[in-house]
Amino acid sequence: MGAACVYAEITGDWSKVNDWIGQYTNSNSYFFLDKWGSARINTSMQMTALVASKHSDADYSSWCRGQMDYILGNNPANTCFVVGYAGNSAKNPHHRAASGYDSYDEFKNINTVGANSKTLVGALVGGPTDQNGTYVDSINDYVCNEVAIDYNAGLVGAAAGLYEVYKSGSVDSSIDGVGAVTIDPIVTTTTTTTDRVNTTTTTTTTAVSTGSGKYTIKPNKTIVYDQLPETEKMIGWDWSDFGISANEKVSKVEVKISASKNIGKWQGAFGTSTKIAPDYWTQSDEMEQTISGTSGSITWNVDSSTADIIQYNYGGQLKFGIWWIDCGTFTIDEVTVYTGSGSQVTTATTKPAVTTTTTTKPASSNGTHEIKPNKTIVYDQLPESEKMIGWDWADFGISANEKVTKVEVKISSSKNIGKWQGAFGTSTKVAPDYWTQSAEMEQTISGTSGSITWNVDS
């Protein structure tokens, strides 16, 4: 299934994954495929189903939650299969180092751990040996009580997926054998008013425009390939650094590099933030180029469909990926972005350019910022692919030192509003999605007006 998910992620076709998962998720009974480590298989299935839920139209989150409830103790054995998690957790995992005995011979005819045993906090034991929940909490029953790294992989993945969906849970600061956990409070101080004022905002950019739709920055950044983290081999710059105007579309990106020896073969890709949910990101095909010499350029010709969706604002980024480069160490001298408009003609300069813009936004005191869209929504006219209504954060006039704690949407109707189901979402500063969304929410308004509230976690 892991390979099938990777294939689906590459092709965008999750039908094969959903066809297989769908066979097993139409029942609330314990998902069971094999008696040896059945809980491992169960939690790995949960993780896979949650990945499919995130990337396709299917939604297995409720099924996964029910299966996790079973794993955590809601089962015929009344046993939590995660060691040290609850009062009814499995007490006798089959783990020699933690057993409290010096050798297997000492406990081969005993069911419980020794007096000097250690609690394997968080370890997932094998679990039931059949779909009816048959389970024995014995140190000698390695089918029911063996623990292993691959057992926990599915458990942690499923738990993370469920947290992303339901945002429920708490920090346990008193785990046996673990030091105290301290959570520092976050204090937010802000100001408010509902009057509207004109505010002049000044922004500074180091972009160098050379005219005719050409924008260059000079990072002069040395890259050592072996020092790039395995999880992120892309170098990024904010689109705002280039100073591209709103009416322009990027047609080409050129990265000039140099090295102290022959550069040789580069393999990698380019990527960019976009305006399109749910990922808000797109990436070029895998690319390869050979530079014979100590300097040269690597070019991405941006197709028009990609150019149409690039997010130049709100922290949108351009990224240059290095999967491999023969020379090992090189310097990114310049990054030049070409646009198709050819309308921008300014004098080249190495000094920062200062742009002054005037916007209208609400003033604030006491931490309340309000806009009044007065927008009528007809649910049946919302597109299937996008049932979210958006506003620019800039419209609210929130200052840089403030943090949002609550969002309240006041609505009205000509008749009883009734039940609303939905979620809130926001752009973020965090790659790769630059987006986060609340858990699914539901609220009932009895009457023709009321408010829907999102309490934003820190």
Side-chain angles (χ1 to χ4, degrees):
M1 279 305 293
C5 284
V6 172
Y7 174 84
E9 174 67 11
I10 293 170
T11 63
D13 180 9
W14 287 84
S15 60
K16 293 182 175 63
V17 172
N18 286 324
D19 285 348
W20 194 85
I21 294 176
Q23 301 175 69
Y24 302 99
T25 55
N26 52 11
S27 169
N28 292 326
S29 60
Y30 179 61
F31 171 69
F32 179 88
L33 283 185
D34 187 82
K35 71 176 185 178
W36 199 309
S38 70
R40 163 195 55 179
I41 299 171
N42 182 288
T43 54
S44 294
M45 178 65 156
Q46 290 182 49
M47 180 178 70
T48 305
L50 287 162
V51 169
S53 297
K54 181 176 181 178
H55 293 284
S56 72
D57 293 334
D59 184 1
Y60 307 109
S61 55
S62 178
W63 179 85
C64 292
R65 189 175 192 173
Q67 295 296 305
M68 187 63 81
D69 285 345
Y70 188 104
I71 294 293
L72 297 181
N74 186 15
N75 55 61
N78 191 31
T79 300
C80 172
F81 301 125
V82 180
V83 178
Y85 179 79
N88 64 335
S89 287
K91 302 292 192 295
N92 305 294
H94 183 81
H95 187 281
R96 196 164 303 176
S99 67
Y101 299 103
D102 292 333
S103 68
Y104 173 70
D105 289 337
E106 284 190 44
F107 69 82
K108 64 182 179 181
N109 294 316
I110 299 174
N111 291 323
T112 58
V113 295
N116 297 318
S117 64
K118 304 296 182 184
T119 302
L120 294 172
V121 177
L124 179 70
V125 299
T129 55
D130 58 37
Q131 196 166 22
N132 296 322
T134 303
Y135 171 77
V136 177
D137 186 9
S138 168
I139 192 173
N140 267 301
D141 194 329
Y142 40 78
V143 176
C144 283
N145 262 15
E146 187 172 41
V147 294
I149 292 173
D150 63 306
Y151 283 34
N152 267 67
L155 172 67
V156 173
L162 285 168
Y163 179 79
E164 179 175 310
V165 173
Y166 292 102
K167 297 292 190 296
S168 59
S170 60
V171 176
D172 189 343
S173 59
S174 60
I175 300 173
D176 184 22
V178 178
V181 178
T182 301
I183 304 174
D184 294 329
I186 295 176
V187 179
T188 303
T189 303
T190 56
T191 57
T192 189
T193 176
T194 56
D195 295 333
R196 304 187 69 85
V197 299
N198 290 330
T199 303
T200 300
T201 302
T202 302
T203 58
T204 301
T205 174
T206 56
V208 179
S209 171
T210 56
S212 303
K214 182 180 177 182
Y215 301 84
T216 299
I217 60 172
K218 298 183 178 182
N220 192 29
K221 182 178 180 68
T222 299
I223 306 297
V224 181
Y225 177 79
D226 289 341
Q227 293 179 6
L228 292 173
E230 283 299 318
T231 55
E232 178 59 280
K233 292 186 180 296
M234 299 193 90
I235 311 299
W237 306 276
D238 287 352
W239 278 111
S240 59
D241 291 344
F242 293 89
I244 301 169
S245 62
N247 65 331
E248 296 181 276
K249 291 183 180 179
V250 171
S251 57
K252 184 171 70 172
V253 176
E254 183 179 70
V255 179
K256 291 185 179 180
I257 64 174
S258 61
S260 59
K261 59 181 178 179
N262 187 64
I263 293 173
K265 183 170 68 175
W266 163 82
Q267 292 175 312
F270 287 81
T272 177
S273 303
T274 73
K275 306 170 185 175
I276 307 301
D279 295 334
Y280 297 91
W281 178 259
T282 190
Q283 199 161 299
S284 72
D285 294 333
E286 303 298 297
M287 300 169 64
E288 182 176 308
Q289 190 172 327
T290 298
I291 298 175
S292 299
T294 58
S295 64
S297 297
I298 296 169
T299 300
W300 176 31
N301 292 307
V302 184
D303 63 87
S304 59
S305 59
T306 298
D308 286 341
I309 61 173
I310 291 176
Q311 176 58 274
Y312 300 106
N313 301 311
Y314 312 114
Q317 285 199 320
L318 164 68
K319 287 196 174 186
F320 170 60
I322 308 112
W323 311 161
W324 174 255
I325 193 162
D326 284 346
C327 63
T329 300
F330 65 98
T331 299
I332 300 176
D333 300 307
E334 294 183 2
V335 181
T336 300
V337 172
Y338 298 83
T339 64
S341 73
S343 61
Q344 183 81 3
V345 181
T346 58
T347 303
T349 177
T350 57
K351 296 180 180 179
V354 179
T355 304
T356 302
T357 58
T358 301
T359 58
T360 300
K361 59 181 77 173
S364 63
S365 62
N366 304 327
T368 300
H369 303 264
E370 182 180 278
I371 61 173
K372 297 182 178 181
N374 193 28
K375 183 179 179 67
T376 300
I377 307 298
V378 181
Y379 177 80
D380 290 341
Q381 293 178 6
L382 292 173
E384 283 300 317
S385 59
E386 179 58 279
K387 292 187 180 293
M388 301 191 88
I389 310 301
W391 306 277
D392 287 351
W393 279 112
D395 293 345
F396 293 88
I398 300 170
S399 63
N401 65 335
E402 295 181 275
K403 291 183 179 178
V404 173
T405 57
K406 183 171 72 171
V407 176
E408 184 180 69
V409 179
K410 293 183 178 180
I411 64 174
S412 61
S413 175
S414 60
K415 60 181 180 180
N416 186 65
I417 293 172
K419 183 168 69 176
W420 163 84
Q421 292 176 314
F424 288 80
T426 178
S427 302
T428 73
K429 307 171 184 176
V430 181
D433 297 338
Y434 298 95
W435 177 261
T436 191
Q437 196 162 305
S438 73
E440 300 299 301
M441 300 167 65
E442 182 175 308
Q443 188 171 329
T444 298
I445 298 174
S446 299
T448 59
S449 65
S451 296
I452 297 169
T453 301
W454 176 31
N455 292 308
V456 184
D457 64 83
S458 60

